[in-house]
Amino acid sequence: MSTDLKRADILTIQRILPHRYPFLLVDKVEEINGTQSAVGYKNVTMNEPHFQGHFPGSPIMPGVTIVEAMAQTAGVMIGVALDQLDTNMLIYFMSIDKCKFRRKVIPGDVLRMDLTTLRGKPGGKVWRFSGVATVKGEMAAEAEFMAMLDLPKDDA
C-alpha cells in the first residue's frame, strides 16, 4: 500500500460529514487515493432502527441505505482530499443510475464499499462516482451517482 493513501476513522468522518446516528452509515474509510478512489466500511448491526420494520423476523438492510453508505464514503473521500475537515461541507444527491442489488445485507455483515470518481475535480461542484458494495467478496449492490458539493464560502 502506497504511503500516499490516506484513511479516515469515525472521528474524522464526523468532522467531514454532517450525518449523525441513525443516518451516519460509514464507520471508516481507507485507501483514500486523493479524489480518485477510496474504500469504506459499514459494520451492520441489529440495533439500527431500520431493522425494526425492514423486515421483522428477517432483518435486511434497505437498498437505499446501501447506496447512501456508498455516497457517504465518496463524501469522506472528497472531504479528506480537499481538506474539508470542520468546514460544514454539504453534498447533495443529484442522480442515481445503473443501480442493482445482488445480495441481502444483514446484521453481522461488514459492508465494504469501493468508490471511484468518474467525473469531478477540485473546485468543481458536480461529481460523478461509481460504487460497488460487497460482503465477504460477494457483490451486494452497485450504482453510479452524481452529487453536488456545497463548499463553505471563504469569508476572507
Side-chain angles (χ1 to χ4, degrees):
M1 178 146 83
S2 169
T3 57
D4 293 339
L5 300 181
K6 296 183 179 177
R7 59 181 12 155
D9 63 13
I10 192 64
L11 297 176
T12 303
I13 290 168
Q14 289 179 317
R15 293 177 63 192
I16 296 169
L17 298 180
H19 306 78
R20 295 296 180 263
Y21 179 85
F23 216 68
L24 182 56
L25 299 172
V26 60
D27 295 314
K28 67 180 176 180
V29 180
E30 298 181 336
E31 300 178 40
I32 300 170
N33 184 11
T35 61
Q36 296 176 5
S37 63
V39 178
Y41 294 91
K42 162 74 175 135
N43 297 304
V44 182
T45 64
M46 186 59 192
N47 64 350
E48 296 173 49
H50 48 255
F51 290 129
Q52 292 178 30
H54 199 267
F55 299 102
S58 185
I60 299 169
M61 186 174 181
V64 294
T65 57
I66 296 170
V67 176
E68 175 66 25
M70 288 192 284
Q72 288 182 18
T73 299
V76 173
M77 172 183 68
I78 297 303
V80 168
L82 301 182
D83 194 26
Q84 292 296 308
L85 275 69
D86 304 316
T87 64
N88 299 315
M89 173 186 75
L90 295 173
I91 303 176
Y92 303 103
F93 262 127
M94 293 178 69
S95 69
I96 300 170
D97 299 302
K98 301 180 184 175
C99 187
K100 295 183 178 154
F101 302 101
R102 301 289 188 213
R103 177 198 194 280
K104 292 187 290 187
V105 177
I106 60 172
D109 284 344
V110 176
L111 191 64
R112 175 187 165 118
M113 297 158 291
D114 289 87
L115 269 293
T116 304
T117 300
L118 300 175
R119 188 181 89 204
K121 62 183 180 191
K125 282 188 166 263
V126 178
W127 293 69
R128 185 168 186 85
F129 304 96
S130 174
V132 175
T134 58
V135 175
K136 295 181 184 173
E138 188 177 349
M139 184 185 296
E142 63 182 329
E144 289 184 8
F145 51 92
M146 282 186 18
M148 179 174 45
L149 264 60
D150 186 6
L151 298 175
K153 304 278 188 273
D154 187 10
D155 293 333

